[in-house]
Amino acid sequence: MTAPILVVEDLVKRFPAGRSGAFVNAVNGVDLKIVPGETLGMVGESGSGKSTIGRAILRLTEPTEGRITFDGRDITNIPAHKMRPLRRDMQMVFQDPWSALNPRMRIGDLIAEPMKLHLDLSRSERENKTVDLATRVHLRPEFLRRHSSDLSGGQLQRVCIARAIATNPKLIVLDEPTSSLDLSVRAEILDLLSEIRQQTQAAMLFISHDLGTVKLISDRIVVLYLGSVVETARSQTLFSNPAHPYSQSLLSAHLPADPKAELARHVLEGEVPSPINLPSGCTFHTRCPVAIQKCSTHAPGPQQIDDPEHFANCLRISDGGNRILSTETS
Amino acid sequence: MSLLEVKNLRTHFMSRDIDNQIRVAEALNGVSFDLEAGKVLGFVGETGAGKSLTAQSICGLLRPPARVVEGRVLFDGQDLTAMPSEELNELRGAQIAMVVQNPRTSLDPLTRIGDQLVRIHQAHTGGPLTASRERALEMMTAVGIPDPKNRASAWPHELSGGMAQRVLIAMSLMNRPKLLIADEPTTGLDVTVQAQILDLLKNLTQRFDMAMIIITHDLGIVAHYSDEVAVMFAGTIVESGPVAKIFEAPSHPYTRSLIAATPERLQMGSGAKLGGQPPDLYNLPTGCHLRTRCVFAQNICTDTPPNREVGTDHFAMCHFAGRLPESGA
């Protein structure tokens, strides 16, 4: 098996909350692994810590605890000036392309900027490569002379993707890259991403709250709830056989764009608890329809399900009581 | 007679440019539809297609430079576009209610939520305060707010997004509206909360025999929560009909591309050209507004397309409606 490009072990991130000395527990002991060429999808509702994890991996926010190994090297604590050359191999695409790009720079200069910082190229080489990159993200070359205000959201996101692939990175973190775009434009960007993935073999961490999108683009999916991983599985497996009660209800709340698709609905009660006062034991037990006494005191570890890549963190798996939909109908 | 009949509604934005020339953005170009009591109509389309503007034009909520320049809105037989603003005020919030996208910014931050509910009831229905308070508790229960007696004294900032949306829905129901307009009611809410809110809205329309317009860009919501669909593009309803037919046999090229772009149907690596620049409302293409980005476009498309009936209650505004090739978007 190939060595993973990224290993995240027991990642914890706490943000101070006000002057009370309380903390927002954004990420609570997350383990992740991505192999080269793989796309890992990360889904969760707001406050599940998915963006924080993405940012912590690139050291855009400092982890409180845990270890991040990138390409065989522990990068958790290395100083900023040593981090800088590594950024060539790890890039990010953000949700809002309007605020991610400098409005005063021309599109061509924006795409060339990462090459200027990281690659030792002559001016003409860089200019050629800029045109080449623009073609790869399907932007017409005349756009290179324009400014970001002249482009639509979908075109700007193409610019962001061109910037991200300019240095041939080994890992690209995409934080909700299609959430601010219209449906048809979103489809085009997803298509472009799958094309880029085939060309470059870059590993991707695809963060989104939209299950349909994540299913489409990911090889494997991690489901997060309140800063913890609740389930990891191959994309198809997760959708056909979700094991964790939270994944089951999340998938049942997903509305496929087909009026004939039957909905096996299990609507969860209540809302996500505050990450300042995390529930004890399994953090999902306050909303879980199949929680037992033990769930409020014992935090479950990962349990292997049917195949070696499918894990769920639930105490009810061992006694088979983790199915919420069957309990509903019986 | 339908509860709501919108006929050839045109809304334009009129402004002057730097050379003092009048510029007109043709935002709504002849929107017509009917809505019966007890039915849910879903409006879909891309940003700027005129979904929210249609709702605002119906309710008379436009501010200059936007103006309804043509068309009629018949609600229960009365023409809302010709109604004096005092009379319209009596209707809005009472018989026509609206639920908007940002629940937190729509609540008065300095008034306890119970008082806000009582206030809207007093303004329209009147009667003794105790009756209004009772109605408030009743509606809070109906929308699933736990412990309504105590929650009535909560401040808006103490509510989560989902709870604030429930309060807004309770508020819209205070005066027993006949028509509820929900403009992106769940955008910004989490999926599990979205399911709760949509189930609630659907139940309430049945329970109180209301008509509902639900505006969204999510085809999943339309597919499962509406009876009829209106697909908007460049200020026009390009296709309308019963939800099952729209998904089964989309007859307008734009509807086809929208449906083809849903994650369920998307083929990765197909390189399909689905999107495109929205048309310039200041300078709309003549004839069919989609023709500049439509793969089926022919010479005839420079003429305004007819609204063809392609099935029972199913219309598409395209020269080739009902005759489009099977594949392709």
Side-chain angles (χ1 to χ4, degrees):
Chain A
M1 198 178 152
T2 36
I5 184 76
L6 177 80
V7 182
V8 175
E9 290 161 284
D10 205 20
L11 182 71
V12 175
K13 177 67 188 180
R14 284 189 287 265
F15 295 101
R19 274 167 288 184
S20 55
F23 284 94
V24 175
N25 301 287
V27 183
N28 308 300
V30 162
D31 296 299
L32 293 178
K33 208 179 273 182
I34 306 181
V35 296
E38 182 185 38
T39 300
L40 181 69
M42 201 150 74
V43 286
E45 299 180 274
S46 49
S48 62
K50 51 192 193 304
S51 290
T52 310
I53 295 172
R55 297 176 64 88
I57 287 169
L58 300 190
R59 293 274 311 277
L60 297 176
T61 181
E62 292 302 323
T64 313
E65 281 167 34
R67 186 153 63 156
I68 299 161
T69 314
F70 177 73
D71 208 7
R73 188 167 166 191
D74 185 347
I75 60 161
T76 324
N77 293 307
I78 64 172
H81 70 276
K82 287 198 178 154
M83 193 63 211
R84 219 169 178 195
L86 285 175
R87 297 206 180 277
R88 176 185 160 170
D89 290 327
M90 37 163 72
Q91 290 288 329
M92 185 147 183
V93 175
F94 295 93
Q95 176 172 359
D96 179 3
W98 289 271
S99 58
L101 297 171
N102 184 342
R104 296 193 162 200
M105 284 169 71
R106 290 182 195 279
I107 299 302
D109 297 331
L110 284 166
I111 297 178
E113 198 183 21
M115 293 188 272
K116 234 178 195 166
L117 288 169
H118 292 295
L119 305 180
D120 191 20
L121 296 176
S122 74
R123 200 186 157 144
S124 65
E125 281 174 322
R126 204 162 56 222
E127 274 167 11
N128 286 339
K129 195 141 186 246
T130 304
V131 176
D132 179 47
L133 282 164
T135 328
R136 273 171 71 192
V137 298
H138 308 294
L139 276 178
R140 291 203 303 277
E142 63 255 35
F143 281 127
L144 295 176
R145 302 174 52 79
R146 304 214 187 134
H147 289 89
S148 56
S149 53
D150 300 331
L151 273 64
S152 68
Q155 288 165 339
L156 290 178
Q157 201 58 293
R158 287 172 194 273
V159 175
C160 293
I161 293 170
R163 274 161 66 89
I165 60 172
T167 58
N168 285 322
K170 294 173 179 160
L171 173 72
I172 307 174
V173 175
L174 302 117
D175 190 358
E176 306 262 13
T178 58
S179 302
S180 60
L181 306 174
D182 265 325
L183 188 67
S184 48
V185 183
R186 174 181 306 181
E188 288 182 0
I189 294 291
L190 288 173
D191 202 49
L192 172 66
L193 286 174
S194 74
E195 198 180 305
I196 299 273
R197 187 174 51 167
Q198 279 174 3
Q199 288 169 0
T200 61
Q201 284 300 309
M204 292 187 182
L205 178 63
F206 191 97
I207 301 168
S208 180
H209 67 274
D210 181 20
L211 288 162
T213 311
V214 171
K215 181 186 184 185
L216 200 61
I217 196 123
S218 314
D219 301 312
R220 273 191 313 134
I221 297 178
V222 170
V223 183
L224 293 169
Y225 183 78
L226 266 182
S228 306
V229 174
V230 299
E231 187 160 357
T232 316
R234 294 211 71 81
S235 187
Q236 290 305 327
T237 318
L238 181 71
F239 276 80
S240 59
N241 183 25
H244 195 281
Y246 176 67
S247 317
Q248 291 171 42
S249 58
L250 192 66
L251 292 178
S252 81
H254 172 59
L255 300 170
D258 180 359
K260 279 189 268 178
E262 267 185 56
L263 301 181
R265 298 301 294 276
H266 187 281
V267 176
L268 279 185
E269 302 271 313
E271 292 174 39
V272 184
S274 157
I276 295 177
N277 298 307
L278 285 180
S280 60
C282 171
T283 49
F284 186 58
H285 84 263
T286 53
R287 295 172 80 195
C288 183
V290 294
I292 49 175
Q293 191 65 44
K294 198 180 168 194
C295 296
S296 56
T297 51
H298 288 68
Q303 297 268 326
Q304 188 177 329
I305 317 293
D306 34 17
D307 68 73
E309 285 184 292
H310 190 181
F311 293 91
N313 300 31
C314 176
L315 293 172
R316 297 298 311 269
I317 286 165
S318 50
D319 66 10
N322 58 322
R323 298 267 148 231
I324 58 170
L325 289 171
S326 52
T327 53
E328 174 101 323
T329 45
S330 63
Chain B
M1 188 186 65
S2 303
L3 176 70
L4 181 70
E5 283 175 53
V6 175
K7 289 181 179 166
N8 196 29
L9 193 63
R10 284 175 194 275
T11 299
H12 291 177
F13 285 78
M14 284 185 227
S15 55
R16 280 174 193 277
D17 67 7
I18 209 158
D19 301 319
N20 216 20
Q21 297 291 311
I22 293 177
R23 275 158 55 87
V24 178
E26 298 169 50
L28 289 189
N29 302 297
V31 170
S32 305
F33 66 91
D34 291 354
L35 181 59
E36 312 269 342
K39 292 274 186 205
V40 180
L41 171 67
F43 266 95
V44 278
E46 60 192 27
T47 313
K51 310 183 293 288
S52 296
L53 197 65
T54 303
Q56 287 167 7
S57 303
I58 291 171
C59 300
L61 291 172
L62 297 177
R63 292 280 168 276
R67 212 176 76 191
V68 174
V69 293
E70 203 187 318
R72 296 204 296 160
V73 177
L74 296 177
F75 175 76
D76 240 358
Q78 305 159 276
D79 188 353
L80 300 187
T81 52
M83 195 178 268
S85 61
E86 301 81 50
E87 280 179 44
L88 202 53
N89 274 341
E90 274 173 32
L91 226 60
R92 273 192 306 238
Q95 295 194 45
I96 304 176
M98 203 155 171
V99 176
V100 295
Q101 183 177 346
N102 294 316
R104 282 164 207 260
T105 52
S106 310
L107 292 167
D108 177 359
L110 300 179
T111 308
R112 295 176 192 272
I113 58 167
D115 294 340
Q116 300 196 35
L117 293 175
V118 168
R119 198 182 276 171
I120 196 163
H121 193 249
Q122 283 289 312
H124 289 285
T125 309
L129 260 178
T130 46
S132 295
R133 288 206 185 100
E134 231 161 75
R135 173 93 189 149
L137 292 183
E138 195 186 320
M139 286 305 107
M140 285 172 76
T141 316
V143 299
I145 295 174
D147 194 9
K149 270 215 172 82
N150 280 319
R151 281 301 179 95
S153 57
W155 299 97
H157 73 263
E158 296 173 322
L159 305 173
S160 65
M163 259 325 142
Q165 193 59 288
R166 281 171 200 267
V167 171
L168 220 58
I169 294 172
M171 199 187 262
S172 71
L173 298 175
M174 283 301 285
N175 298 302
R176 304 177 199 278
K178 292 178 181 164
L179 171 66
L180 184 64
I181 300 176
D183 189 354
E184 304 266 6
T186 56
T187 312
L189 300 180
D190 283 322
V191 233
T192 52
V193 182
Q194 163 174 308
Q196 298 168 356
I197 297 289
L198 290 171
D199 284 352
L200 171 67
L201 283 172
K202 181 97 182 177
N203 279 336
L204 292 171
T205 42
Q206 282 159 2
R207 210 166 119 197
F208 300 120
D209 197 32
M210 293 185 292
M212 178 159 76
I213 292 177
I214 186 158
I215 296 171
T216 177
H217 56 262
D218 186 338
L219 283 172
I221 295 179
V222 169
H224 296 283
Y225 290 94
S226 58
D227 304 306
E228 283 152 49
V229 186
V231 182
M232 286 199 82
F233 179 77
T236 314
I237 295 178
V238 293
E239 184 162 357
S240 60
V243 65
K245 286 197 185 146
I246 296 281
F247 280 87
E248 212 174 85
S251 302
H252 193 282
Y254 181 70
T255 316
R256 282 202 180 180
S257 68
L258 264 191
I259 292 178
T262 53
E264 287 77 19
R265 292 171 191 80
L266 208 55
Q267 297 286 323
M268 283 286 93
S270 63
K273 180 92 187 72
L274 296 165
Q277 290 278 44
D280 180 6
L281 296 176
Y282 287 103
N283 190 14
L284 280 175
T286 51
C288 173
H289 305 315
L290 186 70
R291 69 181 162 88
T292 49
R293 58 186 245 202
C294 177
V295 291
F296 302 115
Q298 310 249 338
N299 289 340
I300 191 179
C301 299
T302 49
D303 297 337
T304 304
N307 203 15
R308 279 182 202 279
E309 185 157 12
V310 291
T312 322
D313 297 325
H314 182 182
F315 294 88
M317 212 180 215
C318 175
H319 290 288
F320 304 107
R323 303 189 274 135
L324 287 174
E326 273 301 304
S327 61

